[in-house]
Amino acid sequence: MNNVLILDFGSQYTQLIARRVRELNIFCEIFPFDKIPTDLSSYKAVILGGSPASVRSEEVLHPDLSEIRGKKPLLAVCYGAQYLAHFSGGEVAASNTREYGRANLSFIKDNEIFLEGVSENSQVWMSHSDSIKQLPTNGVRIASTKDVENAAYKIDGETTYAIQFHPEVYHSTDGKQMLENFLVKIAKVEQTFTPNAFVEEVIAEMKAKIGNDKVVLGLSGGVDSTVAAVILNKAIGSNLYCIFVNNGLLRKNEFQSVLDQYKGMGLNVKGVDASQRFYDALAGLDDPEAKRKAIGNAFIEVFDAEANLLTDVKFLGQGTIYPDVIESVSATGGPSATIKSHHNVGGLPDFMKLQIVEPLRMLFKDEVRRVGATLGIDPELLGRHPFPGPGLAIRILGDITPEKVAILQEVDAVFINGLKAHGLYDKVWQAGAILLPVNSVGVMGDERTYEKVVALRAVESTDGMTADWVHLPYEFLQKVSNDIINHVRGVNRVVYDISSKPPATIEWE
């Protein structure tokens, strides 16, 4: 295997390193710095990521590099570069000036492979409060900026390179070129990770793992579960049983439209309307995590009851993707700070005696879409905006009632259909409406109203890890606002959410 190992020290950019490596058609995996695989034979190169920690603190993060340093090509980024310097004869000190944001390379060492194709004055992105004052033993400076003398260095006698800036972020103009130079020219990693290659490999893997056993899979109508279903269908055919549960929290008319969509795909799908069961489970709950857990528990009960109607099912198929997996583990190997629960990570209750198969477990969202295109799945389905597992329950702030769901379904339909009608849907990564737990005074005709407020949300992103609000045209927002207030009884005010992630999240709950 031509794999790349990325060690995570808790940086917000670690996933971005992996995405940039994948864009080079090179497969990579992320592991916490203290959970390094014991068998490194499949890894052709190693990258040390950044960290909010300092190498000068008592809580310094110590990776065991004994089987890596000097034995495999190594690229140390930011914290990694400071770590190599601090513990290998160099010096790291607090910087006199804050080194955050854009900088430009003012010196590039001649004839240096790592920097081939990198232009003079190339922009890079800095994000650190410590700086390398003295290089480690056998360290050779290969790049500087005006404020950071040792912006990049290499170790003589090793294929070890270190940089204080972040090549993975968009603002580092030649960052991707540097990664390609290191991985392809220096580490000699082959660029063989393509959608076609993945499909062939994962279908073979699923066939070998499942054999003639049966798999039950919960479909959501979204991209991930659909692509997972098509892969499993190609691997095991009629031994795949798909269940699509209506939790009463889907978009307007979505239950039937999704079932109709699947009819032409050759999938064996059963639709189960369990709306009332979910409403009963949610009665009186207004805490976001409590709502998520209630929905998750109700889904497991419904799904388990349906699965038990089948005989000899051995596996549960899931559309888990890579961000779900690595968000659930921190750089120290324990549970990361819980922002919100992932509905498909963390295994199954003991009473469900099923093994799990996750054909997309190692893919990012954009890679799932490319794999789906390779499989011939309808582009309209692949282009669907992400939709949260708990559905509209986390877009209704406060307790859930069928009446509130009906209002939000209508608002959401006006908004989403409006985006499509005005050619804006595909320019947005995710959009939806939120029903707020407040009423406002309004005037309709000559009468005073006191009705609900809804917030519209539209963001642009690549994987949901970071997101920015979309600058939708004012004329469009005006029309959508008028259409919602005029056609959805119970709503008299519309606002537009212009918060980015971070510090906000995409969903409100």
Side-chain angles (χ1 to χ4, degrees):
M1 290 283 288
N2 286 285
N3 293 354
V4 173
L5 172 63
I6 300 171
L7 297 186
D8 178 24
F9 295 86
S11 168
Q12 61 177 318
Y13 297 136
T14 303
Q15 283 202 39
L16 203 49
I17 297 175
R19 290 178 52 76
R20 295 292 175 259
V21 173
R22 297 278 186 93
E23 287 172 5
L24 295 170
N25 293 331
I26 293 172
F27 185 71
C28 62
E29 295 177 273
I30 298 172
F31 282 85
F33 75 94
D34 60 348
K35 296 287 189 296
I36 300 174
T38 53
D39 181 5
L40 295 172
S41 59
S42 65
Y43 298 103
K44 300 276 284 186
V46 178
I47 299 176
L48 307 184
S51 175
S54 169
V55 297
R56 301 180 298 108
S57 72
E58 293 181 2
E59 292 78 33
V60 61
L61 309 179
H62 273 295
D64 178 5
L65 301 180
S66 58
E67 296 302 313
I68 295 173
R69 177 83 186 270
K71 298 179 180 180
K72 291 183 180 291
L74 175 65
L75 174 62
V77 176
C78 197
Y79 176 89
Q82 294 169 3
Y83 180 87
L84 292 185
H86 187 69
F87 291 101
S88 301
E91 179 189 355
V92 175
S95 177
N96 294 326
T97 57
R98 287 168 60 86
E99 295 169 353
Y100 292 95
R102 295 172 176 83
N104 296 90
L105 297 181
S106 57
F107 159 74
I108 296 177
K109 187 176 184 293
D110 291 336
N111 303 316
E112 178 51 58
I113 296 176
F114 180 78
L115 296 170
E116 278 187 8
V118 177
S119 59
E120 288 185 20
N121 207 40
S122 179
Q123 178 177 284
V124 295
W125 185 261
M126 296 286 187
S127 182
H128 55 90
S129 56
D130 290 343
S131 196
I132 299 169
K133 301 302 181 185
Q134 183 177 323
L135 293 176
T137 303
N138 296 326
V140 177
R141 185 172 70 252
I142 60 174
S144 305
T145 68
K146 182 170 91 50
D147 295 319
V148 182
E149 182 182 13
N150 298 312
Y153 65 89
K154 68 177 181 180
I155 304 295
D156 261 354
E158 300 178 17
T159 48
T160 297
Y161 293 78
I163 51 180
Q164 286 220 80
F165 51 85
H166 288 270
E168 68 274 18
V169 303
Y170 169 79
H171 304 289
S172 288
T173 311
D174 295 310
K176 188 174 180 180
Q177 181 66 58
M178 295 179 206
L179 289 172
E180 184 172 4
N181 288 344
F182 171 71
L183 293 171
V184 179
K185 296 180 180 179
I186 295 169
K188 309 296 184 187
V189 183
E190 295 178 12
Q191 297 171 279
T192 56
F193 182 65
T194 63
N196 280 328
F198 173 82
V199 167
E200 291 177 11
E201 185 175 324
V202 75
I203 289 175
E205 179 188 330
M206 293 295 105
K207 282 181 178 178
K209 181 172 184 176
I210 299 166
N212 292 319
D213 290 323
K214 295 177 181 177
V215 177
V216 61
L217 180 143
L219 284 172
S220 69
V223 176
D224 302 336
S225 65
T226 300
V227 174
V230 172
I231 286 174
L232 287 168
N233 189 51
K234 286 185 177 296
I236 62 172
S238 61
N239 277 350
L240 173 66
Y241 297 84
C242 300
I243 297 171
F244 179 36
V245 177
N246 182 9
N247 57 13
L249 304 163
L250 303 174
R251 286 176 156 147
K252 183 179 179 181
N253 301 325
E254 187 171 25
F255 183 54
Q256 190 56 51
S257 65
V258 168
L259 286 175
D260 292 342
Q261 193 173 39
Y262 284 134
K263 282 179 183 176
M265 297 177 65
L267 297 175
N268 177 19
V269 182
K270 178 182 180 181
V272 180
D273 189 350
S275 304
Q276 192 57 51
R277 185 164 188 163
F278 284 85
Y279 289 145
D280 292 343
L282 287 165
L285 299 180
D286 57 12
D287 177 75
E289 277 297 295
K291 289 194 288 187
R292 286 176 178 273
K293 285 180 170 58
I295 291 167
N297 290 335
F299 177 81
I300 287 172
E301 291 171 3
V302 173
F303 193 81
D304 184 56
E306 291 298 323
N308 282 330
L309 297 177
L310 304 170
T311 56
D312 300 325
V313 174
K314 298 285 181 64
F315 291 92
L316 171 70
Q318 293 196 142
T320 309
I321 62 175
Y322 204 33
D324 299 336
V325 176
I326 52 185
E327 270 189 359
S328 301
V329 181
S330 73
T332 54
S336 55
T338 300
I339 297 173
K340 52 193 178 186
S341 302
H342 284 291
H343 64 282
N344 56 349
V345 177
L348 296 167
D350 291 338
F351 65 80
M352 291 187 76
K353 307 298 182 184
L354 298 175
Q355 299 177 58
I356 294 178
V357 286
E358 298 166 315
L360 307 179
R361 185 179 177 84
M362 300 308 296
L363 297 186
F364 289 100
K365 174 71 84 173
D366 54 328
E367 293 173 326
V368 173
R369 288 195 167 102
R370 289 200 292 272
V371 166
T374 297
L375 291 165
I377 296 174
D378 186 344
E380 186 173 340
L381 193 155
L382 293 177
R384 281 193 65 182
H385 291 176
F387 189 64
L392 298 180
I394 59 168
R395 293 183 178 176
I396 297 173
L397 275 58
D399 66 323
I400 308 299
T401 66
E403 293 74 24
K404 289 181 180 178
V405 172
I407 289 174
L408 190 55
Q409 284 177 330
E410 294 297 332
V411 172
D412 179 86
V414 172
F415 185 31
I416 298 301
N417 290 337
L419 288 170
K420 291 178 178 178
H422 287 78
L424 296 168
Y425 185 84
D426 291 335
K427 298 177 182 178
V428 173
W429 190 76
Q430 184 172 343
I434 299 91
L435 185 65
L436 305 185
V438 293
N439 284 21
S440 74
V441 173
V443 177
M444 290 189 181
D446 292 326
E447 295 184 4
R448 173 187 184 274
T449 62
Y450 191 59
E451 296 178 326
K452 294 293 182 186
V453 180
V454 293
L456 304 183
R457 181 82 158 132
V459 300
E460 52 189 4
S461 180
T462 53
D463 54 18
M465 297 303 298
T466 60
D468 201 4
W469 62 281
V470 178
H471 294 240
L472 294 175
Y474 289 147
E475 296 79 10
F476 169 77
L477 289 173
Q478 180 184 44
K479 177 169 173 43
V480 166
S481 175
N482 287 341
D483 288 347
I484 289 170
I485 292 170
N486 289 334
H487 295 102
V488 182
R489 185 176 296 276
V491 175
N492 70 355
R493 191 176 299 270
V494 177
V495 299
Y496 188 50
D497 182 351
I498 58 170
S499 310
S500 296
K501 176 185 179 181
T505 53
I506 295 176
E507 300 294 343
W508 281 42
E509 291 192 340

